[in-house]
Amino acid sequence: MASDLEQLCSHINEKIGNIKKTLSLRNCGKEPTLKTILNKIGDEIIVVNELLNKLELEIQYQEQTNSSLKELFESLEEDCKDVEHLKENIPPHLPQVTVTQNLYMKSRLTYCHINDVIKEINKAVVSKYKIVHQPKKAMSSVARNLYHRFIDEETKETKGHYFVVEADIKEFTALKVDKRFHVILNILRHCRRLSEVRGKGLTRYVIT
């Protein structure tokens, strides 16, 4: 994502540089040919304005994502502390070996897998909305087909929110959509970092 932002900033700087070079010619005279140059300036300004708007949206999304991830990590850290506390304070009358093993497996799941799943879901969201915000004229046939699917999957409940479906996870990540994946999604819903919107035979995982 950092490289995408760098490319976008570089493109904007290039456009601004072209405008400055063109403006430097405005005092060369009032020949009719200058009207063409001025029209080109207007077109360049429109393009730069659109790029700046997209950059602003991208920055807002990244800030929102970073904030959500930070809160999620803090929440999971508290959950891990609770699990460790339970593991270390098991009443003597309980079947100690079995309970300890179950709690240890929960701890392993928390530490080893949830963080990776969060990163991959974030990757899928970024990849999806990069296509959504891409100019249609610049889309490949594959991107255009994905774009139409993304639009068809939107509902009133998802309006104004970022969301993915299982097809996006399979399209943009290497995650296996298996039982463990859904267990981690349940944890994220429990932490109120994801919500579900169902309809049209789809489950939409909304970033909250």
Side-chain angles (χ1 to χ4, degrees):
M1 179 47 59
S3 60
D4 293 336
L5 289 176
E6 289 175 359
Q7 291 177 3
L8 184 56
C9 290
S10 176
H11 187 54
I12 292 173
N13 288 332
E14 181 182 352
K15 292 293 183 182
I16 292 174
N18 290 337
I19 292 173
K20 288 181 178 179
K21 291 178 182 178
T22 307
L23 286 174
S24 66
L25 300 175
R26 65 181 180 179
N27 294 324
C28 294
K30 297 183 179 181
E31 296 87 348
T33 55
L34 290 179
K35 291 183 179 179
T36 302
I37 296 176
L38 292 175
N39 289 333
K40 183 179 179 181
I41 293 174
D43 293 338
E44 294 285 355
I45 290 174
I46 292 173
V47 172
V48 170
N49 185 60
E50 291 177 351
L51 290 172
L52 288 173
N53 288 337
K54 291 181 180 179
L55 179 60
E56 183 179 0
L57 289 174
E58 189 65 38
I59 291 174
Q60 290 176 354
Y61 166 69
Q62 289 297 321
E63 290 177 345
Q64 179 183 354
T65 301
N66 290 337
S67 177
S68 296
L69 288 176
K70 182 179 179 181
E71 292 178 3
L72 177 57
F73 288 141
E74 292 174 352
S75 177
L76 289 176
E77 186 177 12
E78 291 298 320
D79 289 343
C80 290
K81 290 179 180 178
D82 291 341
V83 170
E84 291 298 325
H85 176 75
L86 289 173
K87 184 175 68 175
E88 295 171 0
N89 295 273
I90 301 173
H93 62 278
L94 293 177
Q96 187 171 357
V97 175
T98 303
V99 175
T100 301
Q101 184 176 1
N102 289 339
L103 288 169
Y104 174 71
M105 292 303 294
K106 291 180 181 179
S107 298
R108 285 189 61 192
L109 178 63
T110 298
Y111 287 119
C112 299
H113 303 295
I114 293 180
N115 188 38
D116 290 338
V117 170
I118 291 171
K119 289 180 180 178
E120 290 299 300
I121 291 176
N122 185 48
K123 177 182 175 182
V125 171
V126 170
S127 299
K128 172 182 177 178
Y129 286 94
K130 181 180 178 182
I131 293 175
V132 171
H133 295 143
Q134 184 179 354
K136 292 183 181 179
K137 293 182 179 179
M139 289 182 181
S140 65
S141 59
V142 174
R144 191 175 294 109
N145 289 336
L146 287 172
Y147 173 83
H148 289 305
R149 175 170 71 79
F150 298 155
I151 299 304
D152 290 340
E153 291 169 350
E154 292 182 353
T155 67
K156 292 181 180 179
E157 291 82 1
T158 63
K159 186 175 181 180
H161 298 282
Y162 295 103
F163 73 93
V164 292
V165 298
E166 288 189 6
D168 301 325
I169 300 297
K170 296 176 181 178
E171 179 73 29
F172 299 116
T173 77
L175 283 177
K176 293 182 179 179
V177 183
D178 53 13
K179 182 177 180 180
R180 185 172 66 183
F181 173 77
H182 286 96
V183 168
I184 293 175
L185 289 184
N186 285 333
I187 293 174
L188 296 178
R189 284 198 301 272
H190 176 72
C191 296
R192 298 182 181 179
R193 294 297 171 259
L194 285 180
S195 62
E196 288 186 359
V197 173
R198 298 176 182 268
K200 299 181 181 179
L202 283 175
T203 300
R204 299 157 185 81
Y205 301 106
V206 183
I207 309 300
T208 56

